[in-house]
Amino acid sequence: MSYRRNFDVELAELKQDILRMASLVEQSIYKAMEALLKQDPLMAKDVITGDDVVDRLRYEVESNCIRLIATQQPIARDLRVIVTGIKILINLERMGDHAVDIARAAMCVCGRMPAKALEKIPEMARRVQLMVKEGLDAYVHGDVEKARVMCAMDDEVDEIYNLTFQSLISYMEQNPHSIPCVVYLLLVTRYLERLADRATNIGEDVIYLVTGEWQELN
Amino acid sequence: MDNKNKITVKDLNLYYGDHQALSNVALEIQEHQITALIGPSGCGKSTFLRTLNRMNDLIEGVRVEGQVLLDGKDIYGPDVDVVQLRKRVGMVFQRPNPFPMSVYDNVAYGPRIHGLKNKRRLDEIVEASLRAAALWDEVGDRLFRSALGLSGGQQQRLCIARLLAVEPEVVLMDEPTSALDPISTLRIEELLQELKNKYTIVIVTHNMQQAARVSDVTAFFLNGEIVEVGKTDQLFTKPRDKRTEDYITGRFG
Ligand SMILES: Nc1ncnc2c1ncn2[C@@H]1O[C@H](COP(=O)(O)OP(=O)(O)OP(=O)(O)O)[C@@H](O)[C@H]1O
Ligand SMILES: [Mg+2]
């Protein structure tokens, strides 16, 4: 039996808060990619304004973590729950920023995007979104194996990133008039690649949370 | 942690009559380290601490099996001088217990018992011990007043000074700060950090944060057994045993 029921409730709430924030960020990424692929400036705008909520949540939940450290003096697993909570919050907040970056790029290319230049970008986005989802599932279930498998997917994303980067450069060489637009696609691939790295960070945090060991997986 | 072992405990069992209070306890206590003993009430921490300088000999009906090696020599061996042993391995108790005499006489008590009469030498020892116990600045000008007039925190440091005056090698402390306010507690904790350069310290504490703050090694006792021993920073961030985790995080039934 636990003598820290209130604390247990607070830790459970922390996890819920993180998941709430995570689902907002997942939606932002999804919408930002939709905005790009469907050339939908309104949706892009939605992502940009929606980021305020994510930022606010981050500070709220982070303050809460600091309060828990000060008042509960957590150790062992409790400490890991809170420390990884803070790290995941920061990662999620940055992921939200990348979604905004993608949405901004989508607005810049609206109405003039050469569909042929897209190449593997939609596939890259799907993989990144899958990584984010798997990372969060691993967090929900404390699933180390899932976290590892997810982190391994980062290599594929990096590979697609390199290929796409090259082919976008060739595309620009052959279609110089498209450069002002395709440059934004180049940026999008970069943001996607960063998103995958952030997902990997979350995977590492999950492994630390469960095992107490740090593993560098990217 | 490549210090040498000051005390090695092997296969230790202790019985109060029929009641077995310690079972197969094994522990290596390293020189110039602070070892913390933690565990729920009644798990045998004080009993164990007392086995390290044979304080249990004073209790009726106690039977001890196994070995406690101090610098490799069994303190339960036949030719051990217990008075000499307790000089080498001294103890500080939960409640400060100064003798009803002056501050000076409290500290000089041990050296006098061991035959020291030289006034100047005694003065030196008293001052050095009070300084080492971080008490000199507070009592240097009232050495000949009763020790009972000191505050609880000062009395506890006086008891530490009294112990240091006989130049022990190992200092055993049984919840030395549980009767003290937070500032006196921190003073004693600071003091421990200084003392460990010269002594080997074993401290029983119910305060997890204290164990985490002051010790190098922590041993977790449960029902008369050691469940887990490890470096303190490891034990408090990543305990190996579920029971340790449950205890230190307060989820213990
Ligand atoms: N003098 C004694 N005679 C008989 N039994 C004793 C004696 N001292 C302790 N015990 C028993 O031995 C067990 C261990 O007691 P001990 O005092 O060592 O526990 P502890 O871990 O120091 O507890 P606490 O944290 O409450 O001080 C307990 O079951 C206790 O009842
Ligand atoms: Mg006790």
Side-chain angles (χ1 to χ4, degrees), chain B residues 45-47 174-175 204 206:
Chain B
K45 303 177 298 293
S46 299
T47 300
D174 198 346
E175 300 180 50
V204 171
H206 277 140

Side-chain angles (χ1 to χ4, degrees), chain B residues 34-60:
Chain B
I34 300 178
T35 301
L37 311 180
I38 61 169
S41 193
C43 68
K45 303 177 298 293
S46 299
T47 300
F48 175 74
L49 201 66
R50 289 194 298 262
T51 63
L52 303 181
N53 70 349
R54 293 185 55 171
M55 286 290 224
N56 289 312
D57 290 14
L58 310 173
I59 300 171
E60 199 68 32

Side-chain angles (χ1 to χ4, degrees), chain B residues 57-92:
Chain B
D57 290 14
L58 310 173
I59 300 171
E60 199 68 32
V62 168
R63 186 156 56 86
V64 181
E65 295 167 355
Q67 289 185 312
V68 176
L69 309 178
L70 175 64
D71 288 335
K73 192 163 175 299
D74 191 357
I75 65 169
Y76 287 92
D79 56 344
V80 170
D81 174 349
V82 177
V83 174
Q84 203 55 33
L85 169 68
R86 295 201 187 117
K87 178 175 180 296
R88 292 177 65 193
V89 184
M91 174 127 41
V92 175

